[in-house]
Amino acid sequence: MTATVNRPQDTQLRAPILSARGLVKTFGRVIGLDGVDLDLYAGEVLAVIGDNGAGKSTLIKCLTGALVPDAGHLVLEERPVTFRRPQDARAAGIETVYQTLAVAPALDIASNMYLGREERRRGILGSVFRMLDHRGMRDRASAAVRDLGIQTIQNIQQPVETLSGGQRQAVAVARAAAFGSKVVVLDEPTAALGVKESNQVLEMIKGLRERGLPVILISHNMPHVWEVADRIHIQRLGRCAGVITPDSHTMSDGVAIMTGATNLQDPQPTS
Amino acid sequence: MTVQSTTPGAAAQELARREHTLSQRVQHLLHQRPALSPAIILLMTVIIFTAVNSRFSNPAALSLLVQQTAVVAALAVGQTLIILTAGIDLSVGAITILSTMVMATLAAENGWPAGLALAAGVILGLAAGALNGILVTRIGLPPFIVTLGTLSIFTAVALLYSSGQSIQNNRLPDLLNWTGEGFSIGQFRITTGVVLVVALYLVLGYALTQTAWGRHVYAVGDDPEAARLSGIRSGRLLLSVYAVAGLIYGIAGWILIGRAGAASPNAIVDANLDSITAVVIGGTSLFGGRGGLLGTLLGALIVQAFTVGLSLAGVDAQYRLLAVGILVIVAVSVDQWIRKVRS
């Protein structure tokens, strides 16, 4: 309901933020990806669903630099890009929130948000003595958390281990969204969470979309996908079995395509 | 029956708002300030031993205590760095002795200029630490095994190189003996070695708390996978930690010459365990990622205070071992308890 604008009709008119063409990835004789195309447009949530072994993780890893595809190419904001390491993708503006969250439990929230990209003080303290800008990082981390509408976190200097699962997820998402990123990739963000915390995360995803940040969401949870996704990319046997929308297809349609019970004749829905 | 909750979660919120018990508050405080428990223990140690024998806290005795702590305190700086990354270093003493023997032999036997001999010894310490680091990061062996092996290797090399002979300080140049020199403020004597140790704590304390490198040391020890996914090159970081630790052991070797009045291949046999004990009593977690240098300094002082205090109290020296052993067990138990804290 919240975002009926930016739907497929007008996305067709614009260039995608991120697009992949003909991605192939094999592991010995096992075919992970068999020529997959994917387009992500500004301000949309694109869900990627698929059975185990359908190639969703492989696809995501190729988009985020964790794997290097054997063939095919990526275009980010109309420029061809190649990622050899996750850092390359991150430097290009693709932020990934891993299922394991990748937060250091004993470090506080601000430290975690700036982990691996700490900011130094201005002047000689920073350049010669390499002193960190603790206060600046703390203030900006607070602002980032507030922007996402996360009220449950009161103290930005709290160690992450004292947070609940949903709050940790919030920190990880805030970190991904806070650094001028162009694309946020969320890998199974609700898999380990209860109902209430899952809803908080889904609200956060909607918040990212409202800020115009495109999101790729990998999930096994069909109700969650149908709640937040604008378009749904279905992986099956290493290929894209089609792209549907929550309006054009029901959840059981989606599952049927995913499992091969029905074939999608027209991979680009018209309505 | 008496309380009617209308909104779901109201009871849970009520529970969350309840007063924290005293033990919860203590747990929380210790979690935030890991150096607090060793500080309290040191304070209590000083008060009790002074009550038993007032000579314990006169300036001369205290300054001796500080000088006796210097070498272990210096080694514990390197040990802290490594333990923060969830590693352990058993080759602490061996690297120190190797550095000591090399700088002393080059100066006394081979006629090297004092400055050059000192630099060679310290750089050898760095190289030995870096070798540990390469074995840990490039070959992927556990730090315990690597340093257990290099403990024997470096000890053997030091003994072979020095032919097992000590070199007395009258044969050593002034620069190498300088760490034993000092000045007095009233009855309190401060040696150059002690000043060097304080400088080590200040420099490394700054690096750990104020720089990105320090942040990464904690992150790698806390959760290596999270650190890697955050873009930290953990291999390079670990290598730098082992190399810096080696450099510190090299400097400690210089401090040892001043303290012992000689370069001896059989000195500081207990250095490995003493440095680990200081780190653990100081509240740094053996599981990595938490703790700090302030605690380590307090831990090193506590161990030495027990030794001095018990001997001044006329108690058999074996009780010192007993007391330190109990303290280690208590410190690790407290660490385990603190790690369970939840807000």
Side-chain angles (χ1 to χ4, degrees):
Chain A
M1 299 298 173
T2 44
T4 42
V5 285
N6 298 345
R7 274 299 160 94
Q9 294 93 323
D10 53 355
T11 55
Q12 303 295 313
L13 304 173
R14 289 178 297 163
I17 297 272
L18 175 70
S19 71
R21 286 291 171 272
L23 291 182
V24 175
K25 180 73 194 174
T26 56
F27 306 94
R29 292 176 63 191
V30 178
I31 297 167
L33 293 180
D34 188 15
V36 175
D37 297 348
L38 177 141
D39 286 309
L40 178 71
Y41 294 92
E44 75 165 349
V45 176
L46 174 70
V48 175
I49 63 172
D51 218 344
N52 290 333
K56 16 179 229 293
S57 311
T58 313
L59 173 61
I60 293 314
K61 283 179 177 163
C62 287
L63 296 179
T64 58
L67 285 176
V68 182
D70 302 331
H73 58 269
L74 295 175
V75 178
L76 181 68
E77 291 187 319
E78 298 176 44
R79 263 188 232 110
V81 285
T82 35
F83 303 139
R84 303 261 145 217
R85 291 178 300 151
Q87 285 95 315
D88 297 345
R90 198 159 106 164
I94 299 179
E95 287 282 341
T96 312
V97 178
Y98 299 94
Q99 206 170 345
T100 50
L101 292 185
V103 288
L107 293 184
D108 63 62
I109 297 169
S111 302
N112 261 296
M113 288 188 60
Y114 278 90
L115 193 57
R117 55 182 144 213
E118 287 83 359
E119 287 173 7
R120 291 205 293 264
R121 295 263 285 255
R122 286 164 180 277
I124 193 164
L125 278 177
S127 58
V128 178
F129 295 99
R130 311 243 138 200
M131 191 187 249
L132 291 174
D133 183 9
H134 286 285
R135 180 174 302 167
M137 288 193 284
R138 224 155 42 218
D139 292 347
R140 285 187 287 278
S142 296
V145 169
R146 226 181 307 118
D147 281 354
L148 276 176
I150 305 160
Q151 278 95 23
T152 50
I153 294 171
Q154 290 125 10
N155 181 3
I156 205 81
Q157 285 175 276
Q158 222 173 319
V160 164
E161 66 195 339
T162 63
L163 301 177
S164 69
Q167 288 174 322
R168 288 185 202 199
Q169 190 81 52
V171 170
V173 174
R175 177 170 68 181
F179 293 95
S181 54
K182 294 165 184 159
V183 174
V184 175
V185 179
L186 301 168
D187 187 6
E188 298 279 4
T190 57
L193 302 182
V195 175
K196 193 176 165 191
E197 295 192 316
S198 291
N199 286 336
Q200 286 172 355
V201 170
L202 294 179
E203 287 307 313
M204 214 149 61
I205 295 172
K206 291 175 189 166
L208 293 181
R209 173 173 55 199
E210 270 156 34
R211 287 168 50 184
L213 202 55
V215 175
I216 297 177
L217 168 71
I218 299 99
S219 186
H220 266 106
N221 189 313
M222 296 303 146
H224 290 169
V225 167
W226 256 258
E227 185 183 338
V228 295
D230 297 305
R231 295 187 306 133
I232 301 161
H233 172 113
I234 305 175
Q235 273 293 124
R236 180 172 152 68
L237 302 174
R239 290 173 161 274
C240 176
V243 179
I244 61 174
T245 74
D247 299 334
S248 65
H249 293 74
T250 64
M251 264 184 243
S252 36
D253 293 340
V255 173
I257 298 165
M258 203 172 99
T259 54
T262 55
N263 282 321
L264 197 65
Q265 293 306 317
D266 175 16
Q268 295 298 321
T270 46
S271 62
Chain B
M1 291 303 282
T2 47
V3 181
Q4 287 219 322
S5 34
T6 46
T7 52
Q13 278 172 17
E14 195 67 34
L15 187 71
R17 233 182 285 120
R18 81 199 185 286
E19 283 284 292
H20 289 293
T21 63
L22 182 63
S23 90
Q24 278 175 318
R25 267 187 256 163
V26 169
Q27 190 184 27
H28 205 78
L29 194 64
L30 292 180
H31 188 262
Q32 283 177 316
R33 306 242 173 280
L36 199 61
S37 33
I40 294 168
I41 293 173
L42 183 61
L43 194 67
M44 276 165 43
T45 311
V46 171
I47 292 171
I48 290 169
F49 283 129
T50 306
V52 174
N53 187 335
S54 60
R55 268 170 53 210
F56 180 85
S57 58
N58 79 35
L62 283 182
S63 83
L64 189 62
L65 177 90
V66 170
Q67 289 169 42
Q68 286 166 335
T69 312
V71 174
V72 168
L75 298 180
V77 174
Q79 189 71 264
T80 305
L81 291 178
I82 288 172
I83 289 181
L84 279 176
T85 66
I88 193 125
D89 192 348
L90 301 178
S91 65
V92 175
I95 294 179
T96 307
I97 294 297
L98 183 59
S99 293
T100 303
M101 293 322 295
V102 166
M103 60 181 81
T105 308
L106 287 178
E109 311 274 344
N110 302 16
W112 284 39
L116 215 56
L118 173 63
V122 171
I123 289 168
L124 186 73
L126 180 123
L131 176 67
N132 281 340
I134 287 167
L135 291 171
V136 168
T137 58
R138 297 288 178 268
I139 306 188
L141 300 173
F144 185 93
I145 299 300
V146 167
T147 56
L148 185 65
T150 54
L151 159 66
S152 302
I153 294 169
F154 296 145
T155 306
V157 172
L159 283 168
L160 289 170
Y161 178 74
S162 64
S163 317
Q165 298 296 307
S166 299
I167 299 172
Q168 293 303 315
N169 56 3
N170 53 18
R171 294 181 57 211
L172 291 173
D174 289 344
L175 180 66
L176 292 188
N177 290 323
W178 187 52
T179 49
E181 306 293 317
F183 54 92
S184 294
I185 303 169
Q187 279 187 289
F188 199 95
R189 194 175 134 78
I190 295 170
T191 61
T192 318
V194 170
V195 174
L196 270 176
V197 172
V198 172
L200 278 179
Y201 273 86
L202 290 177
V203 171
L204 271 304
Y206 176 87
L208 273 181
T209 57
Q210 301 298 325
T211 71
W213 180 81
R215 217 32 105 60
H216 296 174
V217 168
Y218 281 91
V220 166
D222 197 14
D223 189 334
E225 183 63 9
R228 194 184 65 80
L229 290 173
S230 301
I232 295 170
R233 300 204 177 163
S234 38
R236 260 191 356 194
L237 183 94
L238 282 178
L239 187 57
S240 76
V241 165
Y242 281 88
V244 168
L247 178 75
I248 294 167
Y249 305 150
I251 296 169
W254 182 28
I255 299 170
L256 177 65
I257 293 178
R259 173 68 207 139
S264 164
N266 303 311
I268 54 164
V269 281
D270 294 330
N272 294 327
L273 292 181
D274 282 351
S275 66
I276 296 169
T277 304
V279 174
V280 169
I281 291 179
T284 294
S285 171
L286 284 173
F287 302 99
R290 55 200 92 210
L293 282 177
L294 180 58
T296 297
L297 181 58
L298 295 169
L301 286 168
I302 289 169
V303 174
Q304 195 56 40
F306 267 73
T307 311
V308 174
L310 288 172
S311 80
L312 279 176
V315 178
D316 193 317
Q318 303 308 326
Y319 282 97
R320 173 249 172 190
L321 260 183
L322 184 79
V324 169
I326 293 169
L327 211 52
V328 167
I329 304 279
V330 170
V332 176
S333 311
V334 168
D335 174 49
Q336 287 285 27
W337 177 59
I338 292 169
R339 283 157 61 87
K340 293 191 191 116
V341 75
R342 288 287 177 275
S343 71

